[in-house]
Amino acid sequence: MSEEDVQALEAGRPLTDARLEALRCFTNALVKGRGHVSEDEWSAFVDAGWGHQQALEVVFAVGMKVMSNFTNALAGVPLDEVVVSSRHGRCSPGV
């Protein structure tokens, strides 16, 4: 992934790679929709070359991230400095 796309991802801006942008949008839609995506969101994902297997991989990755975040929060694990310094670029609320 290009440095430009890494920065865009951190800032919540569109990516330059259309296929990765479709993945980013699908993931955001899946999280916002709590597992539900519209037909248009699904079509954009599939039209970019992704499929059912990759959709399940997104669900798995989101689930693992939630479990990791919850476990670290309960255990009181401090955030890494790199995470703290980049928190300005988080996705919009609910994502």
Side-chain angles (χ1 to χ4, degrees), residues 32-64:
K32 282 182 180 180
R34 297 183 176 162
H36 300 277
V37 294
S38 70
E39 287 185 35
D40 288 342
E41 291 163 335
W42 175 253
S43 292
F45 183 69
V46 171
D47 289 348
W50 305 106
H52 290 280
Q53 180 176 338
Q54 289 79 31
L56 290 175
E57 290 170 356
V58 170
V59 170
F60 177 75
V62 168
M64 290 300 297

Side-chain angles (χ1 to χ4, degrees), residues 2-3 7 18 22-23 32 40 67:
S2 71
E3 182 62 30
Q7 290 175 0
L23 177 61
K32 282 182 180 180
D40 288 342
M67 289 190 328

